[in-house]
Amino acid sequence: RLRGFPYETGDGRFRAEVSLTDAVINYSPDWPRLQGASGTVIFDRVSLSSVQNKGSVGGVPFEDIEIRVANLVHDAELDVAATGNVQLGRLLNFLRQSPVAALLGPVLETVIGSGDVTTGINLRMPIASRRDYRLAGSFGLDRATLGFKNVDFGLTELQGTVRLDSNRLLTDELAGRFLDEPVSIALRAGLVDEPELIQVAEIQGATPPAKLAAAFSLPYGEQLDGSLAWNATVQIPARNKGRAVSIQVTSDLEGLVSNIAAPLTKLAGEREALDLEVRLPERGLLQVDGKVDRGISWALQFVPGNSGAGWRLERGALRSGPSRASLPAEPGLEIGGTFATLRFEDWFPGRG
């Protein structure tokens, strides 16, 4: 009998199985479509489910994921659970096509990655209010690589599990390497007193300073020795805050040895606070500002190298004294301030 269809209360029976072949399903305008979908969809009274299926979503292939709507009549909610191995690059591309991109802002467009990711993800989306979705997941990284477009160095050999909770990436500790030296990484959401930040990464490591100089094509790298222990905080602003991604770096410089001419000479074991900020204001620009306790500050701007690889110093300033260095208006290097000792022939031998 048709009275009571679809028999939500159990006073009848309704069941239908629908087979799909190479279907395209647009389940929400804010999320990437299901492409090449094949499998079986079961309607059982007021529920919908599918556990035998395959296809791709946002370039990520899937097979036999769990898709369910427990009640199509009342408070309908799409529930999707999937597990599997995914390439990190494909996973990042999926996130760029999802509402997560609106939260993380332009930084997601500049991030690149590779390597295997063991993925478990759960999406719950109210059919009548699709923007009130809840997305959670875990991503096991196995020797993955993560970095920025047009930046030759990044994080490599990443090992550990990253959790996705309410559009925030979290982890207690992730192991990896930067410039082939070990680092530890923790991810967290922006705190209450950090309203402009959507995501924060805290990184600790120790790097030979000559490697850092080579990475940024800085002069005098051959006159640096020792090991530079540092702490970095990567600050990712929300899309609507109008801020650039920045990296705050601090160090006590204890292990650094500098044979650069005065006033930048330094012996091992001497402690001196370093505060440094790296900014990516736009594609193809990298800015580095910093200072040390002895009253020396600098402001540097780098552009891609002539061959398209690496970075080259395009303009900068070095200053001694209470006033902080700022970027000059024209390309080149400016040196200014009050120096107790500064011998031109020591900095530029053979040009005196």
Side-chain angles (χ1 to χ4, degrees):
R1 62 193 178 91
L2 293 178
R3 180 178 295 177
F5 177 85
Y7 314 119
E8 180 181 3
T9 60
D11 54 351
R13 181 68 173 166
F14 168 69
R15 179 181 173 88
E17 295 189 8
V18 179
S19 296
L20 302 177
T21 302
D22 200 25
V24 176
I25 303 174
N26 188 6
Y27 57 97
S28 172
D30 297 326
W31 291 82
R33 298 183 298 177
L34 298 180
Q35 303 274 5
S38 302
T40 302
V41 179
I42 300 172
F43 294 88
D44 191 349
R45 291 194 175 95
V46 295
S47 70
L48 173 152
S49 64
S50 175
V51 293
Q52 294 180 332
N53 48 66
K54 65 179 180 178
S56 67
V57 55
V60 176
F62 67 83
E63 183 171 0
D64 296 342
I65 63 176
E66 296 183 24
I67 303 173
R68 181 174 177 80
V69 179
N71 193 316
L72 290 164
V73 178
H74 303 293
D75 300 323
E77 182 176 80
L78 174 66
D79 189 345
V80 181
T83 60
N85 292 325
V86 180
Q87 282 291 309
L88 180 55
R90 287 184 170 181
L91 181 60
L92 291 171
N93 188 51
F94 168 78
L95 292 176
R96 291 186 190 106
Q97 301 173 63
S98 77
V100 175
L103 293 168
L104 291 181
V107 65
L108 193 57
E109 296 295 328
T110 64
V111 172
I112 56 175
S114 62
D116 291 328
V117 182
T118 302
T119 303
I121 196 165
N122 179 244
L123 171 65
R124 293 187 176 183
M125 180 188 301
I127 302 299
S129 181
R130 286 171 290 193
R131 291 187 177 181
D132 295 329
Y133 70 90
R134 300 181 302 280
L135 183 63
S138 65
F139 309 100
L141 304 179
D142 183 17
R143 302 184 70 183
T145 297
L146 194 65
F148 291 101
K149 293 178 181 178
N150 302 317
V151 177
D152 290 340
F153 48 87
L155 297 172
T156 61
E157 301 288 329
L158 289 169
Q159 298 277 158
T161 299
V162 177
R163 306 186 306 278
L164 176 63
D165 184 15
S166 300
N167 299 321
R168 305 294 191 270
L169 298 173
L170 310 170
T171 184
D172 296 327
E173 184 171 334
L174 200 63
R177 303 185 79 83
F178 175 69
L179 297 180
D180 205 32
E181 303 293 333
V183 295
S184 62
I185 306 145
L187 299 175
R188 62 172 176 83
L191 303 177
V192 175
D193 60 349
E194 300 171 322
E196 295 186 344
L197 302 181
I198 193 73
Q199 191 74 54
V200 176
E202 296 173 336
I203 309 173
Q204 292 183 327
T207 309
K211 283 189 175 182
L212 293 171
F216 289 98
S217 300
L218 293 174
Y220 307 110
E222 72 281 358
Q223 298 186 49
L224 300 174
D225 203 352
S227 180
L228 183 66
W230 49 267
N231 295 283
T233 302
V234 183
Q235 300 179 336
I236 300 175
R239 178 180 287 273
N240 61 354
K241 298 303 181 180
R243 285 182 49 180
V245 174
S246 69
I247 306 172
Q248 307 285 338
V249 182
T250 60
S251 173
D252 64 9
L253 301 181
E254 183 177 11
L256 171 67
V257 176
S258 172
N259 295 312
I260 300 176
L264 295 183
T265 306
K266 182 187 171 301
L267 300 177
E270 297 176 344
R271 291 193 174 191
E272 183 172 2
L274 164 73
D275 289 299
L276 181 146
E277 180 181 15
V278 180
R279 293 186 304 277
L280 299 167
E282 60 184 75
R283 187 171 180 177
L285 274 186
L286 189 149
Q287 296 174 344
V288 181
D289 299 343
K291 69 180 183 69
V292 289
D293 273 356
R294 65 183 66 184
I296 296 175
S297 61
W298 58 90
L300 310 172
Q301 179 167 287
F302 299 86
V303 296
N306 295 329
S307 63
W311 294 86
R312 66 176 179 86
L313 179 62
E314 185 255 356
R315 69 185 66 191
L318 175 69
R319 187 169 186 84
S320 177
S323 299
R324 288 286 296 266
S326 59
L327 280 175
E330 301 295 332
L333 180 64
E334 294 182 357
I335 301 176
T338 303
F339 296 87
T341 303
L342 181 64
R343 288 164 46 92
F344 181 88
E345 58 269 31
D346 291 339
W347 281 76
F348 305 100
R351 301 185 187 181

